[in-house]
Amino acid sequence: MWQLADKQFTSRFILGTALYPSPDIMCRSIQAAASEIVTVSLRRQNPGNADGHDFWQLIQSMNVALLPNTAGCQSASQAITTAQMARELFDTHWIKLEVIGDEYNLQPDPFALLEAAQELIAQGFEVFPYCTDDLVLCEKLVEAGCRILMPWGAPIGTGKGLVNPYALKTLRERLPHITLIVDAGIGAPSHAAEAMQLGFDGVLLNTAVAQATDPVKMAQAFSLAVKAGQLAYQAGVIPERDLAKPSTPTVGTPFWQQ
């Protein structure tokens, strides 16, 4: 079992609910992924409005935990207000905190993110901050009270994978007791496996599944990749070497002379 904040789960694969060709494909993808947690944007899907009613009914029927996010917010005050609305509407103190600082690559604003995290934690939220892989920022978020961090692998929707494995590995080594989930930029199942092999606790993605030619099959592929990466980390991946090393020992090997 996986302890995430105050709940326990089996799956370490968190899936987003946007961009799918249809609600039916979204539901089938969630099932194929075996995801027990899904994210939803309050700005896109508001269960209090008529437009979001059908979506909300679908999510409830899936029997999954909900992680609302503050997607689209560009200031600490916007994010705080959105989080407060999400807590009331979705009846959860969990919030994926997003405060975007750059429209070109959707990079989080580190200053506004920290400000919003401090305030929301003071208000009793379990904050899941979407952040860059900057060590100092992550340490400041932990000092503010964050027990979970969600550093990006690459900018949202790019599919580039882990553009800076060194920085992510450093986060894992320097923050051994913090739950780390790679969020954003994952494009292929191999990227998810790589993240888990670094010792990360989970993977969150949306676009790579929702925009695949076959989202249902891709969801299953990612689910298997997350499990494989975790098993590989637990088993211990051999270190890379510059020189070849024979897998068959030379001692005792028969030889013939002419």
Side-chain angles (χ1 to χ4, degrees), residues 170-217:
T170 299
L171 289 181
R172 181 69 290 171
E173 292 173 349
R174 295 287 297 274
L175 303 171
H177 304 301
I178 297 299
T179 298
L180 297 177
I181 300 171
V182 170
D183 176 18
I186 299 294
S190 57
H191 300 157
E194 182 183 3
M196 297 302 291
Q197 284 174 199
L198 290 176
F200 275 67
D201 298 286
V203 169
L204 190 159
L205 59 88
N206 190 164
T207 307
V209 168
Q211 299 289 280
T213 303
D214 188 332
V216 177
K217 284 186 178 179

Side-chain angles (χ1 to χ4, degrees), residues 12 14-15 93 167 177 199 206 258:
R12 294 172 180 262
I14 305 172
L15 195 57
H93 66 292
H177 304 301
N206 190 164
Q258 297 292 336

Side-chain angles (χ1 to χ4, degrees), residues 198-256:
L198 290 176
F200 275 67
D201 298 286
V203 169
L204 190 159
L205 59 88
N206 190 164
T207 307
V209 168
Q211 299 289 280
T213 303
D214 188 332
V216 177
K217 284 186 178 179
M218 188 60 75
Q220 185 178 14
F222 269 106
S223 179
L224 294 172
V226 169
K227 292 178 183 177
Q230 182 193 12
L231 286 173
Y233 176 72
Q234 293 172 340
V237 179
I238 65 170
E240 293 184 7
R241 300 185 179 92
D242 292 328
L243 299 177
K245 182 178 181 181
S247 56
T248 302
T250 57
V251 176
T253 301
F255 64 92
W256 291 265

Side-chain angles (χ1 to χ4, degrees), residues 134-144 149 171 174-175:
D134 182 87
L135 175 61
V136 175
L137 170 61
C138 289
E139 288 178 330
K140 294 294 184 182
L141 289 166
V142 170
E143 291 174 7
L149 300 178
L171 289 181
R174 295 287 297 274
L175 303 171

Side-chain angles (χ1 to χ4, degrees), residues 27-101:
C27 291
R28 289 166 53 205
S29 298
I30 294 172
Q31 291 172 336
S35 293
E36 298 169 291
I37 309 168
V38 298
T39 62
V40 60
S41 171
L42 178 67
R43 289 170 176 252
R44 284 195 298 264
Q45 306 290 354
N46 186 338
N49 294 335
D51 292 343
H53 179 73
D54 291 342
F55 173 85
W56 183 233
Q57 293 297 315
L58 277 176
I59 293 297
Q60 287 182 312
S61 70
M62 298 295 294
N63 192 31
V64 292
L66 198 64
L67 178 59
N69 65 44
T70 62
C73 292
Q74 297 181 326
S75 68
S77 60
Q78 284 182 350
I80 292 168
T81 299
T82 302
Q84 292 168 336
M85 293 171 62
R87 179 163 61 180
E88 180 178 348
L89 291 169
F90 296 114
D91 190 28
T92 178
H93 66 292
W94 284 17
I95 192 71
K96 180 188 171 187
L97 181 61
E98 298 183 30
V99 186
I100 301 302

